[in-house]
Amino acid sequence: MTIEKILSTCVYCGAGCQILFTVDKEKNKILEATGANGVTNQGKLCLKGRYGWDFLNDPQILTKRLTGPLLRKNGRNSPLEPCSWEEAVGFVARRLTEIKKEYGPDSMLVTGSARGPGNEANYVTQKFVRAVLGSNNVDHCARICHAASVAGLLVSLGSGAMSLSVPEIEDAKVIFNIGYNGPDSHPIVARRIVRAKQKGAALIVADPRRTETARISDLHLQLKGGSNLALVNALGHVIIEEKLLDKTFIEAHTKGFEEYRELVKRYSPESTESITGLKPGDVRKAARIYASTKNSVILWGMGVCQFSQGVDVVKSLANLALMTGNFGHSSTGVGPVRGQNNVQGACDMGALPNYFPGYQSVTDKEAREKFEKAWGVKLPDKPGITLTRVPEFVLHPPTPEKKLRAYWVFGEDPAQSDADLSEMRETLHALDLVIVQDIYMNKTAEFADVVLPATSWGEHEGVYSACDRSFQRIRKVLEPPKGVLTDWEIFSRVSTAMGYPMKYKNTEEIWNELIGLCPSFYGATYQKIEKFGAIQWPCRDRNDADRGTSFLHKDGKFATKDGKGVFTAVDWHAPVEVEDQEYPVTLSTVREVGHYSVRTMTGNCRTLRNLEDEPGWVQMNPELCKDLDVKHGELVKLSSRRGFCFSRCFPTERVKKDAVYMTYQWWIGACNELTIGKLDPVSNTPEYKYCACRVEKVEDQNEAERYIKSEYSSIKARMGVDKEVWA
Ligand SMILES: Nc1nc2c(c(=O)[nH]1)N[C@H]1C(S)=C(S)[C@@H](COP(=O)(O)OP(=O)(O)OC[C@H]3O[C@@H](n4cnc5c(=O)[nH]c(N)nc54)[C@H](O)[C@@H]3O)O[C@H]1N2
Ligand SMILES: Nc1nc2c(c(=O)[nH]1)N[C@H]1C(S)=C(S)[C@@H](COP(=O)(O)OP(=O)(O)OC[C@H]3O[C@@H](n4cnc5c(=O)[nH]c(N)nc54)[C@H](O)[C@@H]3O)O[C@H]1N2
Ligand code: SF4
Ligand SMILES: [Mo]
């Protein structure tokens, strides 16, 4: 037996934990995963890091690993059949060329992927879209995630990223944790919150649920869902009224304060009580605690971003930090804790409709000319469309010429993760061409004309960007199945077939090309990442002395053009779809601790599958359960204006009576059948955290259980899995 130890970065959340794998090289199997001494994880791992690699063994519990390209050889209604790579690449290149010729470059949209592929593959993807298709229609799941943080903070501070590093959290004196459930989402980041608390920090939590962080907090602001901006403006109001602000910082480093002061005059804790449901005394207390130190940190997540007013709340959180001088040194500032392992990276690489790699705007002539010269083509200067607008551009385009015809879905599963799934299915049906590039069959692949199979995390090299801007290496641990290609090679082959040769030899060659084009990444060579374990951008110099930047906006110098932080004054508005008689309860959707996003990976790991399985749970206040006469474990039917699904009742005091919570990891208990596709006008993120729904008792439980079972077997059979998993 040849045993090797190989170091890599975790593929699940953005914490960027370092994992040491013990590998049996002869059998090509992982034997064990243990925590390595990474900057954020210090030898620790959460359950996904420790057990989340089993999918690489292809146990086929949920979905089948793709091991060769599939094509509908005789049109849409014919089955997906195995084909050669030549056929698959030839088909994609021919169809894209035809569509481009007939309808123009902007009739296609390609996604990047924040998951396994890594930064190099995302760089190649956006280069392909811009240089070969001639469009900026490239986007990825940040859109349905932290896009509000990126858009909001770019305006307020000039940089959309976390201003501090994960390790700095533990030296904060105050943590204001809003709409963020670290213990489930980023357990290893949550560990730093616990440490901060142990070191004496005050912890304030704003969340309609009593999360674990809320449970250990000094003050839990259990606000009404959808009222964030009213609360944050009220906090600003108190800070001004009680003269808790940092005038010197405001004068020296910011602009727009006066307009903001005028607006928040209307937001006293007393006048906003009817919106937030919070006691004015608690809001005042929170403001006083937050403004009392220069090491106050704001951490936020999806409970801020997944609203039709997400961007405004992000800007208003930046206002709080600006007015109290909470920038410029370590353990302070703003922490939008990025979700996916490489969502920071997919943004860094320009898998966004308005940015080239390194946040260089596509509308900036100088930046465009630089990329034109490097890539030897003329590039489009108009930002592309965002992926959450795909349904609109397919089903109701602004003009017939603007209709979207082709969608290349790379490492995402919109038929499971996007809001309003019945509209998404209609959209996928109505497209002329759907290309899916994945490691597994997934729900979107069912609609694909062609499926391109890729190597997985663990089977290729590359770099991920963790939530705090740390570039870290991922390494090849196992040999991939025969018949799959790396994601960057798939794009390169199609590009070459379309007359723009891409002949990269390895990821390092791609990396060197891209850091050469991005001043803020220029110093982060493979050698340096290798040597120091992690390099946080900005890192501008190649010598070893430049080890990157742990916190941004040093000495109050912001990344905006004039170096000033910008106050923005915005009024609160209610969520788009509120409760009524027909749909009397709020539905909010969150995550399962042991499963990850669309579950193709964790659902195929035995230990994690054994923790939870279909159809998932709906968290309901015991009083609501009593009113509806439903008990723990019973199946209930949930419906909204857009669809219905079944879930199991989970009575819990953690949630209030007016709202129920579901996790979006399930096929049968698919909460996105219910969610609403209404978007924030700037970030285009859907309001996943709020829509109106109805919960009903299911009288015939046996019949419902039979339905769940047969539905599960039938979807799995469509995913190529025929084993019985109920045993
Ligand atoms: N209701 C509701 N819906 C939500 C959310 C919510 O809170 N509520 N959250 C949203 C958020 S924040 C996000 S980020 C999205 C996530 O949604 P998605 O991005 O759709 O989900 P993922 O599970 O991350 O991965 C998508 C696909 O990538 C594939 N994949 C993994 N590694 C690789 C690889 O190396 N190469 C290739 N080619 N494919 C790979 C997986 O098999 C999977 O099919 O979901 C959103 N949906
Ligand atoms: N186990 C696991 N971990 C994951 C993922 C996963 O699928 N599984 N996904 C990853 C991804 S893609 C992401 S983006 C992150 C997301 O991680 P988080 O940002 O923690 O996201 P959520 O858990 O969806 O929502 C956070 C909190 O927002 C609260 N909330 C709901 N409505 C409101 C409101 O109106 N106001 C306030 N203040 N709070 C509200 C919810 O109760 C919830 O506790 O997690 C990552 N980590
Ligand atoms: S906290 Fe995140 S990065 Fe760390 S082991 Fe868990 S899932 Fe992986
Ligand atoms: Mo996310």
Side-chain angles (χ1 to χ4, degrees):
M1 196 152 76
T2 321
I3 301 291
E4 252 186 60
K5 298 266 186 189
I6 303 173
L7 184 70
S8 196
T9 306
C10 181
V11 72
Y12 293 105
C13 85
C17 298
Q18 294 299 294
I19 308 183
L20 193 62
F21 289 103
T22 309
V23 190
D24 180 338
K25 277 285 170 187
E26 276 153 35
K27 292 205 175 110
N28 197 35
K29 290 266 182 253
I30 294 174
L31 302 175
E32 194 190 24
T34 52
N37 194 21
V39 192
T40 45
N41 69 311
Q42 303 172 305
K44 302 275 189 286
L45 291 177
C46 83
L47 79 168
K48 292 185 298 303
R50 190 138 171 85
Y51 302 109
W53 46 267
D54 191 29
F55 72 89
L56 291 167
N57 293 322
D58 196 16
Q60 300 193 22
I61 303 169
L62 189 71
T63 46
K64 197 174 168 132
R65 183 72 196 270
L66 296 163
T67 51
L70 303 170
L71 180 65
R72 290 190 203 279
K73 295 186 179 174
N74 298 302
R76 263 290 156 88
N77 297 323
S78 66
L80 279 170
E81 288 176 74
C83 68
S84 68
W85 272 108
E86 287 66 32
E87 268 182 289
V89 167
F91 173 82
V92 171
R94 176 173 61 77
R95 288 294 288 127
L96 289 176
T97 308
E98 284 166 2
I99 291 172
K100 181 177 172 181
K101 197 163 161 223
E102 196 166 346
Y103 305 109
D106 292 330
S107 60
M108 302 166 276
L109 191 140
V110 183
T111 78
S113 175
R115 302 309 320 288
N119 282 331
E120 297 82 348
N122 280 286
Y123 172 80
V124 172
T125 306
Q126 59 82 42
K127 179 174 175 180
F128 168 77
V129 178
R130 297 192 155 110
V132 184
L133 299 185
S135 169
N136 282 312
N137 283 350
V138 58
D139 200 7
H140 72 285
C141 72
R143 187 63 49 207
I144 49 183
C145 184
H146 265 289
S149 304
V150 178
L153 292 183
L154 271 163
V155 172
S156 302
L157 313 173
S159 170
M162 261 178 87
S163 75
L164 73 163
S165 314
V166 171
E168 289 173 42
I169 295 172
E170 71 174 69
D171 291 313
K173 296 208 175 77
V174 175
I175 294 175
F176 177 34
N177 180 108
I178 172 166
Y180 174 50
N181 185 17
D184 284 0
S185 313
H186 301 99
I188 297 296
V189 177
R191 203 175 134 257
R192 302 284 183 169
I193 302 176
V194 175
R195 285 250 193 105
K197 172 99 181 130
Q198 285 165 341
K199 288 184 175 181
L203 176 59
I204 306 163
V205 171
D207 198 303
R209 280 193 309 163
R210 196 153 177 80
T211 57
E212 274 304 280
T213 321
R215 198 179 58 78
I216 65 159
S217 70
D218 298 279
L219 181 58
H220 178 198
L221 302 171
Q222 198 167 7
L223 77 176
K224 165 102 181 81
S227 68
N228 286 332
L229 192 52
L231 166 65
V232 180
N233 279 346
L235 293 170
H237 175 100
V238 177
I239 292 171
I240 295 172
E241 188 191 47
E242 300 193 7
K243 301 196 171 45
L244 307 172
L245 29 85
D246 185 337
K247 272 199 188 141
T248 321
F249 190 91
I250 296 173
E251 274 163 27
H253 302 296
T254 73
K255 60 187 188 194
F257 180 67
E258 283 313 316
E259 201 187 322
Y260 173 70
R261 180 206 290 272
E262 277 311 304
L263 180 118
V264 296
K265 271 188 186 155
R266 302 200 291 276
Y267 285 83
S268 70
E270 292 72 21
S271 68
T272 48
E273 185 179 354
S274 59
I275 303 170
T276 61
L278 296 172
K279 288 199 213 92
D282 283 349
V283 178
R284 288 187 180 275
K285 191 172 160 194
R288 287 175 200 141
I289 298 173
Y290 175 75
S292 68
T293 85
K294 294 284 178 241
N295 289 102
S296 295
V297 166
I298 311 176
L299 299 179
W300 74 81
M302 294 303 101
V304 162
C305 298
Q306 290 175 335
F307 275 105
S308 58
Q309 208 175 10
V311 176
D312 293 343
V313 180
V314 167
K315 288 177 180 166
S316 304
L317 289 168
N319 291 341
L320 294 185
L322 288 171
M323 71 202 287
T324 54
N326 266 302
F327 280 116
H329 44 275
S330 70
S331 297
T332 187
V334 290
V337 195
R338 304 301 297 263
Q340 312 252 44
N341 59 302
N342 198 37
V343 65
Q344 182 65 54
C347 291
D348 294 348
M349 295 304 112
L352 292 170
N354 50 345
Y355 287 108
F356 290 120
Y359 304 95
Q360 303 173 81
S361 174
V362 297
T363 57
D364 176 341
K365 189 161 173 275
E366 219 177 292
R368 212 169 46 246
E369 280 170 2
K370 175 168 74 173
F371 283 93
E372 284 177 343
K373 191 160 164 245
W375 297 345
V377 286
K378 191 96 191 104
L379 292 170
D381 60 359
K382 196 167 62 51
I385 60 170
T386 55
L387 63 76
T388 39
R389 295 185 70 189
V390 168
E392 176 197 339
F393 275 79
V394 173
L395 302 174
H396 324 283
T399 61
E401 304 75 55
K402 289 199 168 153
K403 187 173 161 128
L404 207 63
R405 307 281 169 167
Y407 194 12
W408 186 334
V409 183
F410 158 38
E412 304 206 332
D413 189 5
Q416 171 70 13
S417 58
D418 275 25
D420 193 353
L421 292 182
S422 64
E423 189 192 46
M424 179 45 66
R425 288 189 289 268
E426 204 190 324
T427 304
L428 291 167
H429 271 304
L431 281 153
D432 295 1
L433 176 67
V434 178
I435 305 163
V436 164
Q437 180 169 327
D438 209 286
I439 56 176
Y440 281 106
M441 274 305 284
N442 63 17
K443 280 174 77 180
T444 311
E446 291 196 83
F447 297 85
D449 297 288
V450 58
V451 177
L452 309 171
T455 54
S456 165
W457 164 81
E459 296 166 353
H460 54 235
E461 301 282 325
V463 173
Y464 289 169
S465 309
C467 64
D468 62 0
R469 299 170 278 106
S470 301
F471 290 133
Q472 301 185 115
R473 283 295 315 275
I474 51 158
R475 293 185 180 82
K476 185 169 168 177
V477 177
L478 298 176
E479 287 305 319
K482 286 189 185 62
V484 304
L485 296 175
T486 60
D487 286 302
W488 56 266
E489 195 176 344
I490 297 173
F491 279 102
S492 302
R493 285 202 189 184
V494 173
S495 181
T496 306
M498 288 178 77
Y500 184 87
M502 285 196 198
K503 302 275 181 204
Y504 297 110
K505 286 192 284 299
N506 53 40
T507 52
E508 188 170 2
E509 190 185 342
I510 303 169
W511 186 257
N512 288 338
E513 175 177 318
L514 79 90
I515 60 173
L517 288 162
C518 302
S520 50
F521 309 153
Y522 185 78
T525 59
Y526 262 40
Q527 290 79 359
K528 273 172 70 181
I529 301 173
E530 200 77 52
K531 191 163 173 184
F532 300 117
I535 297 279
Q536 277 174 292
W537 64 259
C539 177
R540 297 174 194 278
D541 209 310
R542 293 221 168 153
N543 64 38
D544 276 4
D546 188 351
R547 308 259 297 260
T549 313
S550 59
F551 61 85
L552 302 177
H553 319 307
K554 193 164 186 307
D555 303 326
K557 193 173 177 329
F558 291 97
T560 45
K561 281 226 162 78
D562 60 3
K564 301 262 187 209
V566 181
F567 280 94
T568 321
V570 198
D571 275 311
W572 170 84
H573 69 68
V576 177
E577 186 185 70
V578 292
E579 311 80 311
D580 55 20
Q581 270 193 328
E582 209 183 340
Y583 297 100
V585 184
T586 309
L587 170 71
S588 192
T589 59
V590 291
R591 359 190 81 68
E592 200 66 44
V593 66
H595 282 291
Y596 198 88
S597 285
V598 306
R599 204 167 115 251
T600 50
M601 291 148 97
T602 52
N604 277 312
C605 296
R606 279 159 283 203
T607 309
L608 300 176
R609 190 287 304 262
N610 291 343
L611 289 176
E612 284 307 336
D613 207 341
E614 295 281 356
W617 301 87
V618 50
Q619 301 170 26
M620 298 167 64
N621 184 279
E623 265 185 60
L624 180 63
C625 300
K626 209 164 136 207
D627 287 358
L628 297 172
D629 186 28
V630 292
K631 293 187 191 58
H632 182 272
E634 276 184 1
L635 290 165
V636 290
K637 182 179 176 191
L638 292 109
S639 39
S640 77
R641 288 190 174 79
R642 292 153 294 280
F644 72 92
C645 69
F646 292 94
S647 187
R648 272 185 215 289
C649 167
F650 189 89
T652 169
E653 300 277 0
R654 285 185 196 262
V655 306
K656 292 197 283 185
K657 197 181 167 187
D658 61 359
V660 298
Y661 285 74
M662 293 176 79
T663 53
Y664 73 99
Q665 269 70 54
W666 311 107
W667 285 338
I668 301 166
C671 61
N672 280 327
E673 297 291 350
L674 316 178
T675 51
I676 187 163
K678 285 286 177 205
L679 309 177
D680 178 291
V682 177
S683 68
N684 283 187
T685 304
E687 197 145 66
Y688 286 119
K689 291 285 183 272
Y690 206 110
C691 73
C693 85
R694 186 168 62 225
V695 189
E696 286 165 284
K697 184 180 170 71
V698 175
E699 293 300 341
D700 192 339
Q701 287 287 314
N702 290 337
E703 176 59 30
E705 293 286 357
R706 273 195 295 275
Y707 165 79
I708 304 282
K709 237 177 160 170
S710 80
E711 194 59 16
Y712 201 7
S713 302
S714 127
I715 312 180
K716 276 192 297 185
R718 299 203 311 264
M719 300 291 165
V721 173
D722 47 19
K723 280 187 284 188
E724 190 52 67
V725 296
W726 292 91

